[in-house]
Amino acid sequence: MKFEPIEVKDKLNRTIVIRSAIADDAEDLIKYLKVTTEETPYLIREPDEVAITHEQEVAFINNCLNSDKSLLLIATLNGRHIGNCSLNPIGSYRRYAHRCEVAIALYQEFCGCGIGRTMLEHMLKVATKMGFEQAELEVISDNKSAIALYEKLGFKKYGSLPDNMKYASGHYASADWMMKKL
């Protein structure tokens, strides 16, 4: 799905542009994956697992643009990619047609500035327009700031996934399954 660009102000009064990702963003998105997996333990990949090619990323972006049930938003500051947010159906079966999953991440230096909240608010509005009835996500249980944000947006925890991730160091992290009725 295509999302027309909007300008919003963050908590520092900077102008942030939120828009659909386009094929020209592929390299920035790959770089973003590599950097953010190094910055935080809360994402699903180890840094050395980011092996997406330019062609694969362009195909993913184009699939989102051409879908009526998926959306990939990016946030930019002065033309610089600073984060993104995605929306996808849980599955292709009619019994799952009411459910979507959302995911978001920002470069660490932009966390806590209200950008993630704004992106998610717009994403949830789009999800409702797409006909989804509930939005779901997984979040690492000790990611307190993300959980606080999701709760402010109306998500509730409905379950835990013990030992959901195993890090290269050998330790485990549990995750919470959260959902919001739209």
Side-chain angles (χ1 to χ4, degrees), residues 10-82:
D10 72 357
K11 290 180 180 178
L12 302 175
N13 204 35
R14 298 176 294 191
T15 301
I16 308 298
V17 175
I18 299 173
R19 62 173 174 79
S20 289
I22 58 172
D24 288 347
D25 296 315
E27 286 304 316
D28 284 341
L29 287 164
I30 293 169
K31 176 187 169 211
Y32 155 86
L33 283 173
K34 291 177 181 178
V35 172
T36 56
T37 56
E38 289 276 352
E39 288 183 328
T40 178
Y42 300 130
L43 302 178
I44 63 173
R45 293 181 180 100
E46 291 287 346
D48 64 342
E49 294 178 306
V50 179
I52 298 168
T53 67
H54 178 84
E55 293 75 22
Q56 289 170 323
E57 189 65 16
V58 168
F60 175 75
I61 292 166
N62 286 334
N63 284 339
C64 289
L65 286 170
N66 294 322
S67 171
D68 59 353
K69 291 290 186 179
S70 293
L71 179 60
L72 177 59
L73 292 179
I74 68 167
T76 63
L77 173 63
N78 299 322
R80 176 184 171 208
H81 174 244
I82 60 173

Side-chain angles (χ1 to χ4, degrees), residues 135-177:
E136 305 172 18
L137 57 84
E138 283 183 22
V139 58
I140 299 303
S141 301
D142 64 357
N143 190 349
K144 302 301 180 198
S145 60
I147 291 169
L149 170 62
Y150 302 144
E151 288 174 339
K152 286 177 189 170
L153 293 172
F155 283 86
K156 293 182 182 167
K157 176 182 169 182
Y158 286 94
S160 295
L161 305 164
D163 298 340
N164 187 59
M165 289 199 306
K166 183 176 180 181
Y167 294 102
S169 65
H171 80 277
Y172 295 88
S174 297
D176 296 342
W177 180 76

